[in-house]
């Protein structure tokens, strides 16, 4: 094989690295969002509960997580958390892509508490008469929350939740510090192997921009299609 052919082969391999990094970043986004949204709902319900203990626990979770930098979360879950696990569980974690798993945990918790505040604002924006009407129809508190309050609250909270999703997408880049093979990790890998910094980081920049703009566009379309009426 000539040098020219070998160069083409290596270029294709470097392209595959970048595509793999983009795919991993999307997987981080999807997995973290699937965990963060129900976590945010649960914490928001705790924050709006009539029980003082639940409100205190919800507030503690929100303030304790969102006031610590995401980088610190990632380093804790990757380096410290496994040491707290029983040996068989720790070995199982190390055998199953620990960088990805720990990144998902950190991103989910960090995004979840921010989503919780958006959902809590949505809950508070629903008129109290809605709950009273549901209870007067014979629904219990949990059924009223599930069937009446939460659907309205989440609808109100969709635009800020989509904004949090953009932040979550951008935050996946921080996972490179623990070796998760996401887009920034692969871009740096290509740059180290080829010194083609412009191509590698331009690809990463445009990929982040494209997905962020797509999510932002979805938020705008939703706001136009379902305007919030007060």
């Amino acid at each position: 094989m000539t040098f020219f052919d070998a160069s083409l082969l290596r270029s294709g391999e470097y392209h595959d690295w970048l595509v793999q990094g983009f795919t991993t970043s999307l997987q981080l986004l999807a997995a973290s969002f699937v965990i963060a949204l129900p976590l945010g709902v649960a914490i928001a319900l705790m924050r709006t509960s009539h029980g003082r203990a639940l409100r205190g626990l919800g507030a503690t979770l929100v303030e304790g997580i969102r006031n610590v930098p995401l980088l610190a979360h990632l380093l804790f879950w990757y380096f410290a958390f496994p040491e707290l696990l029983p040996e068989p569980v720790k070995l199982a974690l190390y055998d199953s892509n620990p960088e990805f798993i720990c990144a998902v945990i950190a991103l989910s918790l960090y995004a979840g508490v921010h989503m919780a505040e958006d959902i809590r604002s949505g809950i508070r924006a629903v008129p109290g008469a809605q709950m009273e009407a549901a209870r007067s129809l014979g629904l219990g508190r949990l059924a009223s929350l599930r069937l009446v309050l939460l659907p309205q609250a989440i609808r109100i909270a969709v635009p800020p939740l989509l904004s949090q999703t953009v932040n979550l997408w951008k935050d996946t880049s921080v996972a490179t510090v623990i070796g998760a093979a996401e887009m920034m990790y692969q871009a740096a890998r290509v740059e180290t192997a080829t010194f083609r910094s412009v191509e590698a980081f331009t690809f990463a920049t445009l990929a982040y921009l494209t997905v962020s703009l797509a999510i932002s566009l979805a938020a705008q379309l939703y706001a136009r299609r379902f305007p919030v009426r007060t």
Side-chain angles (χ1 to χ4, degrees), residues 149-192:
L149 185 63
L150 274 180
Q152 296 183 69
I154 291 179
R155 178 175 172 178
I156 294 170
V158 163
L161 286 176
L162 288 173
S163 296
Q164 290 296 344
T165 305
V166 173
N167 292 333
L168 176 59
W169 166 242
K170 293 184 291 186
D171 286 343
T172 60
S173 62
V174 186
T176 189
V177 300
I178 60 172
E182 46 71 61
M183 194 153 43
M184 288 304 299
Y185 178 93
Q186 297 289 20
R189 185 183 176 197
V190 170
E191 192 276 336
T192 300

Side-chain angles (χ1 to χ4, degrees), residues 65-205:
I65 293 175
R66 74 175 180 177
N67 287 308
V68 175
L70 176 58
L71 178 59
H73 282 290
L74 284 163
L75 295 177
F76 170 82
W77 287 105
Y78 185 66
F79 290 107
F81 173 69
E83 300 302 319
L84 304 176
L85 298 173
E87 193 66 21
V89 179
K90 181 168 68 172
L91 293 176
L93 173 64
Y94 286 147
D95 288 337
S96 55
N97 198 352
E99 295 83 8
F100 185 89
I101 294 173
C102 293
V104 168
I105 294 173
L107 290 167
S108 300
L109 291 174
Y110 198 73
V113 296
H114 287 85
M115 290 182 177
E117 292 300 278
D118 292 330
I119 296 170
R120 182 167 73 105
S121 297
I123 291 174
R124 296 178 67 180
V126 177
Q130 295 287 326
M131 279 292 289
E132 295 173 5
R135 297 300 297 274
S136 68
L137 292 174
L139 295 176
R141 176 170 173 76
L142 290 179
S144 300
L145 286 172
R146 181 172 58 88
L147 299 174
V148 178
L149 185 63
L150 274 180
Q152 296 183 69
I154 291 179
R155 178 175 172 178
I156 294 170
V158 163
L161 286 176
L162 288 173
S163 296
Q164 290 296 344
T165 305
V166 173
N167 292 333
L168 176 59
W169 166 242
K170 293 184 291 186
D171 286 343
T172 60
S173 62
V174 186
T176 189
V177 300
I178 60 172
E182 46 71 61
M183 194 153 43
M184 288 304 299
Y185 178 93
Q186 297 289 20
R189 185 183 176 197
V190 170
E191 192 276 336
T192 300
T194 66
F195 299 102
R196 297 171 68 174
S197 307
V198 174
E199 293 91 333
F201 291 111
T202 296
F203 176 91
T205 300

Side-chain angles (χ1 to χ4, degrees), residues 35-60:
I35 298 173
L37 183 58
L39 176 64
V41 171
I43 294 176
L45 290 176
M46 292 168 62
R47 294 271 277 162
T48 55
S49 170
H50 293 311
R52 182 177 299 178
L54 283 177
R55 289 201 310 271
L57 178 59
T60 300

